[in-house]
Amino acid sequence: MLVNKPPMGWNTWNTFGHEISDALVRESTDAFVEQGLKDAGYQYVVIDDCWSKKVRDPETDRLVAEPAKFPEGMKAVADYVHGKGLKFGMYSCAGQRTCGDYPGSFDHEFLDAETFASWGVDFLKYDFCYKPVGVDGQLLYRRMGMALRASGRDILFSACNWGSDDVWSWIRSTGAHMYRSTGDIFDNPESYRKIALSQLHKLGTSAPQCFNDVDMLTVGMYGKGLVGTTGCNDADYRSQFALWCMYSAPLMLGCDIRRMNAQTRALVTNRDLIRIDQDAEARPPIATFHPWNEKLMTLFKHLDDGSYALGFFNLGEEDAETFATFSDFGLPAAAGYDLALESVFDGERLVSREYLRLNVPAHDCRVYIARLQKR
């Protein structure tokens, strides 16, 4: 199977938008390895929109890389990425034009899939702009799913229709391996919180071979780049990354990985958080909220080795005390078990019976690996 676990990688869009080039991708590929992302499990280097010429080749009707940006063409870029032991991803769109107003793949699905395969593409992000009026969006994703299967190469199909048309109810049938269930993310606290809360009732539709994609991470952007707005602080980035991991969401970094600071690097390579995200069973978490403070959310997630992930999230503007009652997760007081907890951030260990009460700073989180302990 092509995608047993949520895909992990890096995408150009959040920081660079249309300002992409062969040199940027090669430098970022080098940084991908040097910064420890490859060793942490990240695989995909993905070029987003605005990579092609404004028109197709008039003789072959094929997409052509913009020579001012990619003078050696896309196969040379793919070969460079592959030479570092990584996988190469690209972008197209189900409409007549891409969101950046470049040629889309509408009515060219099989030709474009063949072209991508010939270049060595391993991942295709497939957007949803400029769809002709009256054309069924589901049908367009079916077409590209079939085209990729016919291309002769294993290509991860990342469907990006922004959560339109109840996508979670039908997208698996198209052959897609991950699907966007939300609008675009921006680098501010309100954006990632809104996205995270919007997906709580849809996480059960995410599973191996087709994962719910809650958009690319803004972790480490600090307000810079295309989707940089107010920016976030390190507490926000801890919460955002931990939420994505608790959701078993694809982890697609969007910051300038050439310039990650130590805090960002430590967070996105945190072994315990990645372990939670990459859990083989990819089960959705149980979510509970503080009875009189809806900004305090607790997530409890079953892991495949018999342990659990327990996360406390303060989505508010003030430090607050919160608690979890273990019976809400299926562990009643009479069960005869406590929970032995170890923090994924600092290794703090504690044992708690029936419930856990603790303080969580504003915007921040506390996440633990939990195991049952017989009394």
Side-chain angles (χ1 to χ4, degrees):
M1 292 191 292
L2 184 60
V3 186
N4 290 324
K5 297 179 180 180
M8 298 171 61
W10 172 78
N11 181 293
T12 58
W13 185 255
N14 280 3
T15 294
F16 300 102
H18 70 279
E19 296 179 352
I20 52 177
S21 66
D22 181 291
L24 170 68
V25 177
R26 292 179 190 241
E27 290 172 8
S28 299
T29 299
D30 292 343
F32 200 106
V33 177
E34 294 163 1
Q35 298 273 23
L37 298 177
K38 178 183 175 183
D39 290 340
Y42 294 84
Q43 292 183 290
Y44 294 96
V45 174
V46 181
I47 297 173
D48 210 284
D49 201 357
C50 310
W51 59 266
S52 75
K53 296 180 73 171
K54 283 287 188 175
V55 296
R56 290 175 175 269
D57 184 289
E59 295 182 1
T60 66
D61 211 23
R62 291 182 184 270
L63 295 168
V64 180
E66 170 53 59
K69 295 179 178 179
F70 299 96
E72 298 181 46
M74 281 304 177
K75 188 175 187 309
V77 181
D79 288 346
Y80 189 85
V81 173
H82 292 153
K84 297 291 184 176
L86 301 170
K87 296 182 178 181
F88 177 60
M90 291 189 66
Y91 168 101
S92 190
C93 186
Q96 293 173 309
R97 305 292 288 180
T98 72
C99 300
D101 194 27
Y102 293 80
S105 289
F106 178 74
D107 267 355
H108 294 79
E109 293 88 356
F110 282 77
L111 177 63
D112 290 355
E114 178 187 298
T115 300
F116 296 143
S118 72
W119 290 342
V121 170
D122 304 298
F123 178 115
L124 179 67
K125 177 182 173 181
Y126 203 51
D127 223 331
F128 202 48
C129 287
Y130 299 107
K131 176 182 73 68
V133 175
V135 176
D136 181 14
Q138 292 188 39
L139 178 60
L140 297 184
Y141 283 94
R142 292 174 194 162
R143 283 187 191 175
M144 185 51 82
M146 291 287 286
L148 292 174
R149 293 267 179 132
S151 72
R153 185 177 180 84
D154 286 336
I155 300 177
L156 189 156
F157 185 15
S158 173
C160 181
N161 88 329
W162 326 315
S164 304
D165 304 324
D166 295 330
V167 61
W168 43 86
S169 68
W170 52 265
I171 192 63
R172 290 181 67 86
S173 67
T174 69
H177 300 102
M178 55 189 273
Y179 66 94
R180 269 279 295 283
S181 54
T182 75
D184 289 353
I185 196 169
F186 295 93
D187 188 24
N188 62 67
E190 181 182 1
S191 180
Y192 84 80
R193 293 171 185 171
K194 181 178 179 181
I195 285 174
L197 292 172
S198 76
Q199 294 308 298
L200 284 174
H201 66 292
K202 300 168 186 170
L203 295 178
T205 61
S206 182
Q209 293 302 301
C210 192
F211 290 95
N212 184 332
D213 174 16
V214 290
D215 208 359
M216 298 167 287
L217 292 151
T218 66
V219 172
M221 289 186 64
Y222 298 104
K224 299 177 181 177
L226 182 71
V227 305
T229 50
T230 64
C232 292
N233 60 30
D234 287 330
D236 282 306
Y237 290 141
R238 277 192 295 275
S239 289
Q240 182 187 153
F241 193 74
L243 283 165
W244 267 230
C245 290
M246 292 293 288
Y247 286 9
S248 289
L251 300 179
M252 299 301 294
L253 303 177
C255 65
D256 185 349
I257 57 175
R258 301 171 303 172
R259 296 178 172 85
M260 286 194 299
N261 63 24
Q263 290 87 348
T264 299
R265 187 184 310 109
L267 177 60
V268 301
T269 60
N270 183 294
R271 291 184 179 182
D272 286 327
L273 286 174
I274 291 174
R275 152 88 183 90
I276 292 168
D277 180 79
Q278 297 287 291
D279 185 73
E281 294 183 357
R283 296 186 182 277
I286 299 162
T288 61
F289 289 84
H290 194 284
W292 54 84
N293 187 343
E294 63 182 9
K295 301 295 185 180
L296 300 176
M297 178 173 69
T298 302
L299 298 177
F300 183 84
K301 180 183 180 73
H302 288 245
L303 302 177
D304 71 331
D305 66 353
S307 64
Y308 307 89
L310 176 59
F312 298 84
F313 297 86
N314 183 350
L315 306 180
E317 302 302 319
E318 298 180 355
D319 296 357
E321 183 180 67
T322 189
F323 68 91
T325 302
F326 300 159
S327 60
D328 289 337
F329 311 138
L331 185 64
Y337 288 92
D338 299 330
L339 281 183
L341 305 158
E342 183 172 352
S343 170
V344 304
F345 294 117
D346 58 18
E348 174 196 22
R349 293 184 178 184
L350 57 132
V351 176
S352 189
R353 178 177 300 183
E354 299 183 30
Y355 73 98
L356 179 62
R357 186 181 298 273
L358 42 71
N359 290 304
V360 183
H363 295 226
D364 215 335
C365 66
R366 298 180 69 173
V367 181
Y368 300 88
I369 299 295
R371 292 177 172 79
L372 293 175
Q373 179 173 293
K374 190 75 173 178
R375 292 177 196 157

